[in-house]
Amino acid sequence: MILALAIICQCFGQCVLVHQLKQFSSSFIAIFLLLEPTCTAIFAKLIFAEALSALNLVAFVIVLVGIFFAKTCEKSEHPILQKAE
């Protein structure tokens, strides 16, 4: 039963991601996936009352700052990331 739940949830999540590629860029989806561990920890705190350490909070800040920089610098000129014209 647990294995079936895990497989169904994983398949559903992947299908949603593939479906969203029609509406969002692949870079946005990849950056959005970086929020997964942070959301997981927050839900674990809310649902299971797990203790979050100061190190967890530092990690959350680092992830959020990284996502911020990735989104704001996405349009900047990176020779490696530019499309071949």
Side-chain angles (χ1 to χ4, degrees):
M1 180 65 174
I2 293 175
L3 184 62
L5 283 172
I7 291 172
I8 290 170
C9 290
Q10 180 67 26
C11 290
F12 176 72
Q14 292 299 320
C15 289
V16 168
L17 287 174
V18 170
H19 177 71
Q20 292 302 317
L21 283 172
K22 296 176 185 174
Q23 299 171 349
F24 299 107
S25 68
S26 59
S27 62
F28 176 78
I29 299 291
I31 291 170
F32 185 75
L33 285 175
L34 295 174
L35 285 174
E36 187 174 334
T38 304
C39 292
T40 301
I42 291 170
F43 286 135
K45 171 71 174 167
L46 295 174
I47 296 170
F48 301 115
E50 288 189 14
L52 296 177
S53 66
L55 186 60
N56 292 121
L57 298 176
V58 170
F60 295 163
V61 170
I62 291 171
V63 167
L64 293 175
V65 168
I67 291 171
F68 172 76
F69 283 142
K71 285 305 294 173
T72 57
C73 297
E74 191 175 74
K75 303 283 185 206
S76 66
E77 305 219 2
H78 296 285
I80 297 173
L81 299 177
Q82 289 179 348
K83 292 181 180 179
E85 294 181 20

